[in-house]
Amino acid sequence: ATPAKLTVGPDAPEAELALDGPHVLGWAAVADVPWLEVSPASGTLPARPTVRLSGVAPPGARGTIRFEASGEGMSFTASVAVTAAGPPLTWRAVVPAVAHAPGAFGSLWRTDLAAVNPGVAEAAVSLRYVPVEGAPALRAAAIPAGGTREWPDVLASLFGVDAAASASGVVEVAADRPLRLSSRTFSASEAGSFGGYLPAVTDEEALAFGETGILPQLTRSADYRTNVGVANLGAEPATASFALRGAGGEPLGTAVSVDVPPGGLVQVVDVFGAAGTGDRDVAFATVAPTTPGARVWAYASVIDNRTGDPTIVPLERVVPGAAASASADARTVPAAAHAPGAWESLWRTDLAVVNPTDAARTAEVELVPADGGEPATRTVTLPPGTRTFPDVLVSLLERDAEA
């Protein structure tokens, strides 16, 4: 087959090959990537098949077309290497944890992934799955201008993970224009599902060497367990350390160190057990990359053992010097409730606050009611460590418990 190497892309989406030989043999072609096709895919020699770009391929992606010819007691094979050309993919974000796997207490985890293209032109998108175990997989997609696309159970529907498999990892998304990404990891059962949102993370949002992050509102009991995970956004191996701390900021157990491969994910199941500490009503963890040049991002999943419902706790970066200025460290909790909901649900909000310094701080908590009522403000003292306000609208802001 000639040529033995060729390039296809949006500007030149197809190329002709020459299949010649001294014998009239039957042949067939197979491409090893989904973005290539051969037309016709079989015939007899000599032939001039066309290699065609059949999908959006990440620039620089490589595929191989294998030709097999046989007949008259003979058989031959040949391969053609194909490289994809295209617009540079200048935007990148990482979905730090995706799953298609069973979990503890009968849970069954799946991840749905969605992307929105807010731009005025079609987006060329590359999606790369880096599993905890096994080789990475690369897929491509196109999202129309102003449009959206969703991949339910993304590891199965897009990356072909077997329905009975246990798989997890990271999905890196690159595009030729900025996207907005959303992922929902949930536990499914016959009664429905419980799930949590996990944000996509850009390089700028990752935790760099020398920086510290906090995972607040962690707990461990007969009713709850806490897992933590760390994703490596870099191209080199990275090590990160989790250190649990109690309500007063005291160390709990020993620090948990994890080694994360390039672009990969490591999850620590039951981080309290891994640290060698017992049950705690409330705790928090500090996270720090210990490899120079590393960029990582971490999360916690606090799971209700009775329902399988996870609360996803994203990393909060500690800003040096922010504690000296109240306005510099102001935070808004965008929704809080003490109210009945649909399907006989009953909604409550617990609030946890971490003071990472070694001195007591004063904080002001303000409720702005959704119905336009009078705001309520309370001033609280926060000693070093963490403090939790269960059902905060009642316990701290003194709303009517029957409201």
Side-chain angles (χ1 to χ4, degrees):
T2 55
K5 297 180 180 180
L6 57 87
T7 299
V8 292
D11 295 332
E14 59 184 47
E16 186 179 84
L17 292 174
L19 302 179
D20 294 311
H23 304 278
V24 179
L25 305 178
W27 63 271
V30 177
D32 67 350
V33 291
W35 45 269
L36 283 177
E37 66 178 12
V38 182
S39 179
S42 61
T44 56
L45 299 179
R48 296 294 184 269
T50 298
V51 176
R52 183 175 295 114
L53 187 66
S54 61
V56 178
R62 296 180 180 180
T64 300
I65 300 173
R66 180 179 174 85
F67 292 89
E68 295 185 355
S70 60
E72 301 181 8
M74 297 174 290
S75 63
F76 301 93
T77 62
S79 296
V80 175
V82 184
T83 301
L89 304 183
T90 56
W91 182 87
R92 172 181 179 265
V94 169
V95 181
V98 293
H100 177 98
F105 293 88
S107 54
L108 189 63
W109 299 100
R110 302 289 185 260
T111 299
D112 296 343
L113 174 63
V116 174
N117 173 15
V120 297
E122 182 179 79
V125 185
S126 166
L127 300 102
R128 181 173 179 260
Y129 166 49
V130 182
V132 172
E133 296 180 354
L138 190 65
R139 298 291 185 268
I143 302 177
T148 184
R149 187 166 179 183
E150 183 182 31
W151 295 274
D153 191 3
V154 62
L155 295 190
S157 65
L158 181 63
F159 293 103
V161 169
D162 188 86
S166 177
S168 61
V170 167
V171 171
E172 177 186 327
V173 181
D176 62 348
R177 61 196 66 250
L179 304 176
R180 302 295 182 266
L181 302 178
S182 176
S183 73
R184 177 178 182 257
T185 295
F186 60 94
S187 176
S189 70
E190 293 181 358
S193 67
F194 288 101
Y197 162 79
L198 195 61
V201 183
T202 63
D203 290 329
E204 293 75 17
E205 295 166 324
L207 196 65
F209 176 71
E211 296 180 329
T212 300
I214 287 178
L215 298 172
Q217 207 168 12
L218 310 185
T219 187
R220 183 181 191 254
S221 67
D223 293 334
Y224 293 93
R225 66 188 188 273
T226 296
N227 302 333
V228 296
V230 58
N232 178 3
L233 277 68
E236 300 294 334
T239 299
S241 177
F242 292 89
L244 288 171
R245 295 187 177 276
E250 72 280 6
L252 300 178
T254 59
V256 178
S257 181
V258 294
D259 298 322
V260 192
L265 164 74
V266 171
Q267 179 169 277
V268 180
V269 176
D270 184 14
V271 67
F272 286 83
T277 188
D279 292 356
R280 297 283 168 165
D281 290 337
V282 63
F284 67 97
T286 60
V287 187
T290 57
T291 303
R295 298 193 71 85
V296 304
W297 195 84
Y299 67 92
S301 180
V302 181
I303 306 163
D304 189 323
N305 294 331
R306 298 158 294 184
T307 64
D309 185 21
T311 297
I312 305 296
V313 181
L315 178 80
E316 278 274 351
R317 180 186 280 107
V318 176
V319 180
S325 169
S327 61
D329 206 28
R331 293 289 187 271
T332 298
V333 178
H338 177 96
W343 302 95
E344 299 182 352
S345 55
L346 192 62
W347 297 97
R348 301 290 185 263
T349 298
D350 297 341
L351 176 67
V353 184
V354 174
N355 174 8
T357 72
D358 57 3
R361 299 290 176 183
T362 299
E364 187 176 87
V365 181
E366 181 182 38
L367 169 67
V368 180
D371 60 7
E374 191 70 22
T377 302
R378 298 291 183 272
T379 300
V380 297
T381 299
L382 303 173
T386 183
R387 186 173 175 185
T388 300
F389 303 94
D391 193 3
V392 63
L393 298 194
V394 173
S395 66
L396 176 62
L397 295 161
E398 301 175 1
R399 301 286 98 174
D400 186 348
E402 301 300 321

